[in-house]
């Protein structure tokens, strides 16, 4: 893969602050965002992409009777951009197994917890309820198991005694914005791959929590 020509497609559903971090990083990095796709026509992230003259497309899941039909339409649309990497950035639809298989090894997700802790939603409240002293973010390869693919990298934040879930979310989000562009640049440089359900960086299999980044 040419380092300067890694084409990525970003899938969003909401605010798009991670998308914005990727847009900002891409200016000086080794990847280029070909398109931003949202299942939600009202996603604020669409405006962010449009402001930066990035092509945006909505594939509204409500327009499809079956989940498989939505997945297929999305897959065909993504394929039309021929991306090297598909980036889920706050994409809130669960993708079916044939979709995931099609993109296996070239699709990543960011999740606001220290996986394998707290897959799914409400991660910040769950960390508070559990009395965790630290919390964080994980970037992982997407596999058929929800939020269960091999972790590529994590960064951590402390949990403070008076934190609300929103406080914690904001602290984690700051780390997300640093971590995601970093991982994408590793992929774009050809340093990262998925092999036998393990994440490899520079040909070395990563440990279960991936690379521990301290940004
Ligand atoms: C982030 O917390 C991300 O980890 C999770 O959804 C949120 C998306 O936020 N998957 P944004 O749309 O990037 O601002």
């Amino acid at each position: 893969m040419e380092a300067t020509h890694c084409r990525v497609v970003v899938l969003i559903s909401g605010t798009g602050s991670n998308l914005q971090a990727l847009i900002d990083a891409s200016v000086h990095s080794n990847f280029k965002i070909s398109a931003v796709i949202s299942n939600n026509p009202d996603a604020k992230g669409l405006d962010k992409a449009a402001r930066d003259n990035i092509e945006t497309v909505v594939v509204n899941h409500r327009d499809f009777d079956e989940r498989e039909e939505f997945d297929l339409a999305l897959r065909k649309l993504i394929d039309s951009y021929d991306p090297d990497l598909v980036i889920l950035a706050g994409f809130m639809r669960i993708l079916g197994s044939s979709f995931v298989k099609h993109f296996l090894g070239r699709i990543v997700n960011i999740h606001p917890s220290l996986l394998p802790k707290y897959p799914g939603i409400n991660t910040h409240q769950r960390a508070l309820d559990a009395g965790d002293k630290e919390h964080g973010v994980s970037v992982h390869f997407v596999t058929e198991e929800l939020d269960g693919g091999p972790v590529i990298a994590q960064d951590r934040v402390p949990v403070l005694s008076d934190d609300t879930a929103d406080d914690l979310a904001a602290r984690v989000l700051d780390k997300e914005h640093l971590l995601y562009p970093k991982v994408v640049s590793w992929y774009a440089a050809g340093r990262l791959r998925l092999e036998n359900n393990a994440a490899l960086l520079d040909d070395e299999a990563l440990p279960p929590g991936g690379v521990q980044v301290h940004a």
Side-chain angles (χ1 to χ4, degrees):
M1 192 190 310
E2 271 278 329
T4 47
H5 288 108
C6 181
R7 291 182 309 274
V8 307
V9 166
V10 185
L11 270 57
I12 62 166
S13 299
T15 312
S17 68
N18 277 288
L19 166 67
Q20 187 66 61
L22 290 163
I23 292 172
D24 294 345
S26 70
V27 176
H28 301 291
S29 195
N30 51 3
F31 59 92
K32 185 176 181 339
I33 302 174
S34 306
V36 171
I37 301 172
S38 174
N39 66 302
N40 170 13
D42 300 321
K44 294 276 183 292
L46 289 169
D47 305 333
K48 293 185 169 71
R51 251 199 320 269
D52 280 278
N53 297 314
I54 297 169
E55 197 167 318
T56 61
V57 189
V58 173
V59 184
N60 190 339
H61 60 279
R62 295 180 197 278
D63 294 341
F64 298 84
D65 292 332
E66 304 287 342
R67 182 186 291 275
E68 292 74 26
E69 289 171 25
F70 168 73
D71 280 9
L72 187 61
L74 191 59
R75 189 184 104 184
K76 285 184 173 163
L77 177 65
I78 295 169
D79 279 345
S80 74
Y81 293 99
D82 193 22
D84 300 302
L85 183 67
V86 179
I87 300 176
L88 306 184
F91 185 70
M92 298 305 285
R93 302 300 297 172
I94 294 174
L95 296 161
S97 88
S98 63
F99 181 99
V100 171
K101 277 192 184 116
H102 182 75
F103 292 109
L104 194 67
R106 48 194 184 106
I107 179 166
V108 291
N109 182 40
I110 191 159
H111 184 76
S113 78
L114 296 171
L115 291 170
K117 278 189 165 184
Y118 317 130
I121 60 171
N122 297 329
T123 58
H124 309 299
Q125 189 59 52
R126 286 154 73 195
L128 288 176
D129 292 347
D132 291 354
K133 294 281 173 277
E134 63 174 7
H135 185 46
V137 52
S138 307
V139 176
H140 64 94
F141 278 112
V142 173
T143 62
E144 288 178 58
E145 193 188 337
L146 179 68
D147 300 325
V151 174
I152 299 163
Q154 294 182 326
D155 201 348
R156 289 157 194 269
V157 300
V159 180
L160 307 181
S161 57
D162 55 352
D163 270 346
T164 63
D166 285 349
D167 296 333
L168 203 45
R171 198 173 304 126
V172 171
L173 209 50
D174 284 345
K175 296 289 192 181
E176 294 187 31
H177 298 160
L178 298 170
L179 189 64
Y180 219 0
K182 187 187 287 284
V183 170
V184 172
S185 74
W186 293 344
Y187 189 92
R191 300 177 55 194
L192 189 61
R193 67 182 195 277
L194 179 73
E195 206 173 273
N196 299 327
N197 207 38
L200 276 72
L201 182 67
D202 298 332
D203 299 323
E204 298 274 342
L206 293 172
V211 180
Q212 298 302 308
V213 172
H214 308 283

